[in-house]
Amino acid sequence: MSFATDSPVHSSSSDDFAALIDAELEVGSSGSSPDEQDNEEEEVDADSDNDDGDDEEDDSNDDLNDHRNKRCKTEKLDDLEGPQGSTSQGLIEEKLEVSLNKDTCSHPGSFGQMCILCGQRVDDESSVTFGYIHKGLRLGNDEIVRLRSTDMKNLLRHKKLYLVLDLDHTLLNSTQLNHLTAEEEYLKGQSDSLQDVSKGSLFMLEFMQMMTKLRPFVRTFLKEASEMFEMYIYTMGDRPYALEMAKLLDPKKEYFNGRVISRDDGTQKHQKGLDVVLGQDSAVVILDDTENAWTKHKDNLILMERYHFFASSCRQFGFDCKSLSQLKSDESEPDGALASILKILRQIHHIFFDELDSDLASRDVRQVLKTVRKEVLKNCKIVFSRVFPTKFQPENHLLWKMAEQLGATCSTETDSSVTHIVSMDAGTEKSRWAVKENKFLVHPRWIEAANFFWQKQPEENFPVSQTKNQ
């Protein structure tokens, strides 16, 4: 099958993709060459001439001349285009036809600077490496567009979108064994067996000198999300780490099927990008705890609340507090971050496929994300009090922008239409006004929590205290 004309991703599987590429290369390198087959035919003809005798010599010479003329034509093609290998006469003709088109080959992809279609040397710096699909594979921009388009059509037929999942602090939390505190030593005696990881959540990987804790609800999350999305792992960790984590999360290879992208596969240092994902940007949802990793794709991003199970994770982000492991606690399964986000993913999927009137192929999940996000704080009018630095333009502050993205209206002045005063000090003039006028007085974390959970949070859970110097 020609790589340029038939899609190697009919089943949306990178394993199938790699297998088809391998098959293509094997066809191109196996069997004898046309010259070897012609030499064998000449020997057969020569033996026949000797056996037929002088009476048939003239006829044999004519046949041999015809054969040589045909061979000469083949050799001229070989001289112009180079030798082509095949295993049958049909493949010889096919390869000769391809050789005539070498000069116009679009070079859709390459292995080791060799075009996977025509075999010529390719030095295309604009192509993108897809090493996680097949080691050494590079694809040109036109081929990436074609594959994405083909895979997109197949996915939409099955009512699926793409979901790109971060690992650390999103689906799990890992730490080096020598980073465990004295309060966490008990974890070594509670780790689950690696013989059947599907039944556990805490694993000690001694060969990596590491301990990993899966986030509560992650197995249910992956199972249910896989029915709506084709899923990728994308981590800033190295490839060996990424593959080991994939084994813990997907031991039966039901969800990712080789779609595991690490920092070794990215095209930009310290950045993640959808250029190495074989899915159209308009159909990709990203789940990650780090917004700055996706500077080019923030409209695709659902920002996750970080999962800090180990003490080293808290220290890494500058938190001077006890970790979940030190408190011998954990997130709630039914009410935790993954359970909340799964509800949002169901809503996004439903709107995309069942509520939009536009043609399916022209729909954009990024617009759906914006629509759903704007419903979170709809009908809320917010005034900030001593949250921003002096002389700082409030509309440029992250919290102001976040609140507007969540559908709230922000203002600098109080009036009867204001619903919330956001402050870190209950003693400010605007905070006292909120209490007097029976308005909500909430801490800035109220907005942050709504942003993480994509749901308006109970105001009473985010009280504001009066500072000591008031």
Side-chain angles (χ1 to χ4, degrees), residues 168-274:
D168 295 282
H169 306 109
T170 297
L171 299 181
L172 50 82
N173 191 201
S174 294
T175 188
Q176 295 295 322
L177 292 178
N178 60 4
H179 290 169
L180 291 173
T181 65
E183 294 173 282
E184 295 176 304
E185 283 294 318
Y186 76 94
L187 294 172
K188 292 181 179 179
Q190 294 187 359
S191 61
D192 296 305
S193 171
L194 292 172
Q195 299 302 313
D196 184 6
V197 298
S198 63
K199 296 180 180 178
S201 65
L202 179 67
F203 302 99
M204 187 158 62
L205 308 171
E206 294 188 83
F207 62 97
M208 297 178 73
Q209 286 298 296
M210 180 177 291
M211 181 171 280
T212 294
K213 173 66 173 64
L214 303 187
R215 196 167 199 165
F217 196 72
V218 68
R219 298 207 185 277
T220 302
F221 173 87
L222 292 175
K223 182 178 184 298
E224 297 193 18
S226 69
E227 296 171 1
M228 302 179 286
F229 298 88
E230 180 173 274
M231 300 188 297
Y232 284 75
I233 285 174
Y234 199 147
T235 177
M236 281 297 193
D238 61 23
R239 185 150 190 80
Y241 171 74
L243 293 175
E244 288 302 322
M245 295 304 102
K247 290 178 185 177
L248 298 180
L249 292 166
D250 186 17
K252 296 181 181 178
K253 297 183 179 180
E254 299 173 285
Y255 307 133
F256 302 110
N257 198 18
R259 294 182 295 273
V260 179
I261 305 172
S262 69
R263 70 183 180 207
D264 306 324
D265 304 304
T267 57
Q268 280 187 292
K269 204 170 185 181
H270 308 307
Q271 279 289 304
K272 295 179 179 180
L274 295 180

Side-chain angles (χ1 to χ4, degrees), residues 335-350:
D335 301 317
L338 288 177
S340 298
I341 292 301
L342 181 61
K343 295 175 185 176
I344 301 302
L345 292 177
R346 287 198 193 103
Q347 185 180 0
I348 291 166
H349 183 272
H350 173 73

Side-chain angles (χ1 to χ4, degrees), residues 51-62:
D51 293 339
D52 289 342
D54 294 338
D55 291 341
E56 298 181 4
E57 182 175 354
D58 292 339
D59 291 338
S60 297
N61 285 339
D62 290 341

Side-chain angles (χ1 to χ4, degrees), residues 27 31 66 146-147 156 160 244 282 355 381 424 447 458:
V27 167
D66 288 343
R146 188 187 69 81
L147 292 174
L156 292 179
K160 282 191 173 185
E244 288 302 322
S282 60
E355 291 190 7
K381 185 173 181 180
M424 292 184 286
I447 298 176

Side-chain angles (χ1 to χ4, degrees), residues 33-48:
S33 69
D35 285 351
E36 290 171 342
Q37 291 185 351
D38 287 338
N39 287 337
E40 292 171 358
E41 291 172 9
E42 281 190 327
E43 291 174 3
V44 171
D45 287 342
D47 291 341
S48 298

Side-chain angles (χ1 to χ4, degrees), residues 196-390:
D196 184 6
V197 298
S198 63
K199 296 180 180 178
S201 65
L202 179 67
F203 302 99
M204 187 158 62
L205 308 171
E206 294 188 83
F207 62 97
M208 297 178 73
Q209 286 298 296
M210 180 177 291
M211 181 171 280
T212 294
K213 173 66 173 64
L214 303 187
R215 196 167 199 165
F217 196 72
V218 68
R219 298 207 185 277
T220 302
F221 173 87
L222 292 175
K223 182 178 184 298
E224 297 193 18
S226 69
E227 296 171 1
M228 302 179 286
F229 298 88
E230 180 173 274
M231 300 188 297
Y232 284 75
I233 285 174
Y234 199 147
T235 177
M236 281 297 193
D238 61 23
R239 185 150 190 80
Y241 171 74
L243 293 175
E244 288 302 322
M245 295 304 102
K247 290 178 185 177
L248 298 180
L249 292 166
D250 186 17
K252 296 181 181 178
K253 297 183 179 180
E254 299 173 285
Y255 307 133
F256 302 110
N257 198 18
R259 294 182 295 273
V260 179
I261 305 172
S262 69
R263 70 183 180 207
D264 306 324
D265 304 304
T267 57
Q268 280 187 292
K269 204 170 185 181
H270 308 307
Q271 279 289 304
K272 295 179 179 180
L274 295 180
D275 51 350
V276 291
V277 175
L278 283 177
Q280 290 186 3
D281 293 8
S282 60
V284 177
V285 177
I286 302 166
L287 200 59
D288 203 315
D289 68 286
T290 306
E291 185 177 18
N292 291 336
W294 296 96
T295 54
K296 294 182 179 179
H297 305 286
K298 289 185 178 182
D299 289 342
N300 299 81
L301 176 66
I302 294 178
L303 191 62
M304 280 292 293
E305 182 183 23
R306 288 194 174 105
Y307 181 50
H308 297 295
F309 184 77
F310 296 108
S312 62
S313 180
C314 292
R315 293 195 302 269
Q316 178 186 347
F317 290 92
F319 295 130
D320 185 19
C321 61
K322 295 282 188 180
S323 68
L324 290 168
S325 61
Q326 290 172 308
L327 295 171
K328 297 187 177 181
S329 180
D330 210 345
E331 282 186 356
S332 166
E333 282 263 352
D335 301 317
L338 288 177
S340 298
I341 292 301
L342 181 61
K343 295 175 185 176
I344 301 302
L345 292 177
R346 287 198 193 103
Q347 185 180 0
I348 291 166
H349 183 272
H350 173 73
I351 293 174
F352 186 93
F353 285 102
D354 301 325
E355 291 190 7
L356 299 182
D357 296 327
S358 57
D359 177 67
L360 192 60
S362 65
R363 297 175 191 178
D364 194 326
V365 75
R366 292 167 293 193
Q367 294 303 316
V368 177
L369 284 168
K370 287 181 180 179
T371 299
V372 174
R373 196 193 302 263
K374 278 191 171 292
E375 291 293 316
V376 176
L377 295 182
K378 185 180 179 181
N379 299 325
C380 293
K381 185 173 181 180
I382 296 173
V383 171
F384 295 89
S385 179
R386 293 191 190 175
V387 174
F388 312 137
T390 306

Side-chain angles (χ1 to χ4, degrees), residues 81-93:
E81 307 299 340
Q84 300 291 317
S86 66
T87 56
S88 68
Q89 185 61 36
L91 281 175
I92 292 173
E93 293 172 358

